[in-house]
Structures are given as structure tokens and as C-alpha cells.
Amino acid sequence: YLSPAASLCKAPPTFPPVVIPNQTHQSLLETSSDMKTFLLFLVVAVAAVYSQVPERCEAPLAWEARVDVLDTIRGYFVRAKVSYDARNMRVRRIEEVESREDKDYYDVLDLHNTSPGKEYRLNLKTKQCEERMLNGSFRPFAIPQDARSMGEFTIGTKGEPHEGLDCTMWGGRSSEGGEFVSVFTLDGCVPVNDFYFRSPTSHVTTYFYDVTLGISNASVFIPPHECMH
């Protein structure tokens, strides 16, 4: 007969040890290793997504297009056909200029590849040509090396084939001190919009349409014969 105290002090029952078969043990180790590999891959993938920064694209050096330009400080709206050659720093524009009082038409050639730069401005109504020096430097429609990315977006419907235009936006300061925000297509880096701020109260806004790459006729960069007399 055991007293109650003695029964409390009795050794606990023993159970046979649980033995994990070698094959099962190896499977657990492999599963643990696979899980660690998966988690490591997941962490690296997430880090890569969040560390991605849009890369600068190289805008085409020569193209022809139609543009609309709104210049707030000069108070006019311009609709023009443009031939643009960044490599040789020259631009030809056939302009329809709409001011507050009137509408005029000009054939304008800007040559920044001379020193100093020259502008030939032919009034298509009067056939009078004005030649003058260009004070500002050539500003290409491109993404400068020190520009900062302002994100990517879609104009139109996103996700539907041929329903939207994927774009990239960049901003910064020009060599003349003005601020700019420019939009380009992701495919081809073709200019879409350009906003140039000379000061907090004045800016030039340019919209690009019907862009075709290359120059169809190189003679467009020869000054009009009315300007050569």
C-alpha cells in the first residue's frame, strides 16, 4: 500500500521515443531549404521592383512635326510645321501666329550652329525678311543627363491594345536657368509635350503632333531667298 504522498512522488510513465524515418527527416530538411530559397527570392524580387528607376531614353535627333505653342509672356499662340535637326542645331518653322489683335504667317529659320546664332524671319504676307541674332542657346527636345524622372503614365486607355500611349515624364533646370517638364513616349522617346518656365509667371507650352522621323528635304535649312539680298 502506498500513501497518497508516495503516489504523488511516483516516477512519471515513460513513452517510447518518436523516431522520424531517415527519408521523412530528409524531406523536412529539403522542404525547409526550399522555403528559405523561396523567401530569399521573394525578398530580392520585391527589392528589385522598389529599386527600379526609370532610365533616360534617347530622343530622335531629327524629325518633322506639327506643333502648337502657347507663349504667355509674349501673348501669342503659334501653330506651325517644324523641321528639327538637333545634331546641327537648326530648326525651320512655318508659323501661323495668332496674337490678341491679329493673325500673321511667318517662315522662320533658326541657326544655332553659327556664332552668334542667327534667325531669319520672313513675313509671308509682306515678303519682308528680318535677320537677327539669337540670344539664347539651342535647347534640344531631349532628356538632359541631369534630368530627374517624374514618373510614367498612359495617355488614353490603359491595358487595351492600341488604345493608349505609354509616356515618361522628366523635369529639371535648363542651362539658361529656366525650369522644364517634358513628356516623351516610352516607345521611341518621341516628344509629346514640353513645358518651359522662364519665371514663376511666364512659360512656353509646346504640343507635338504627327511626328515623322528624319528630314524629308534638307534644303529647308537654307534661308529663304528673300532674306539673302
Side-chain angles (χ1 to χ4, degrees), residues 54-226:
E55 296 183 357
R56 290 176 56 258
C57 58
E58 294 296 331
L61 295 176
W63 44 259
E64 294 179 325
R66 299 186 182 279
V67 302
D68 287 347
V69 182
L70 177 63
D71 191 325
T72 59
I73 194 170
R74 296 174 183 170
Y76 62 70
F77 174 80
V78 177
R79 180 159 287 166
K81 186 180 186 304
V82 175
S83 299
Y84 167 88
D85 177 12
R87 183 179 286 106
N88 296 297
M89 297 186 294
R90 51 190 186 176
V91 180
R92 182 72 172 263
R93 303 186 303 277
I94 306 299
E95 297 183 342
E96 176 186 303
V97 181
E98 186 174 336
S99 63
R100 296 184 179 92
E101 297 83 18
D102 198 6
K103 182 181 291 187
D104 286 306
Y105 300 88
Y106 295 95
D107 182 354
V108 183
L109 176 63
D110 290 343
L111 299 175
H112 291 268
N113 54 1
T114 62
S115 183
K118 288 184 179 181
E119 178 180 89
Y120 298 91
R121 178 175 290 269
L122 174 66
N123 187 314
L124 295 175
K125 285 183 178 180
T126 65
K127 300 301 181 182
Q128 297 296 312
C129 183
E130 179 185 0
E131 180 182 340
R132 58 188 179 187
M133 291 188 301
L134 291 171
N135 296 322
S137 59
F138 178 74
R139 179 176 169 258
F141 292 112
I143 304 174
Q145 293 286 345
D146 58 350
R148 64 183 182 274
S149 171
M150 302 181 73
E152 298 176 352
F153 59 93
T154 300
I155 298 175
T157 303
K158 186 175 179 63
E160 295 294 331
H162 312 296
E163 294 291 334
L165 180 65
D166 294 330
C167 297
T168 179
M169 180 183 292
W170 295 77
R173 183 178 294 274
S174 72
S175 59
E176 296 181 334
E179 297 282 344
F180 70 88
V181 176
S182 300
V183 177
F184 299 84
T185 61
L186 275 179
D187 184 10
C189 204
V190 176
V192 177
N193 307 118
D194 181 75
F195 307 92
Y196 183 70
F197 302 86
R198 296 193 189 97
S199 70
T201 58
S202 67
H203 65 274
V204 178
T205 304
T206 305
Y207 300 92
F208 303 84
Y209 310 95
D210 303 330
V211 179
T212 57
L213 301 184
I215 302 298
S216 58
N217 185 355
S219 66
V220 296
F221 298 114
I222 298 174
H225 65 86
E226 291 92 343

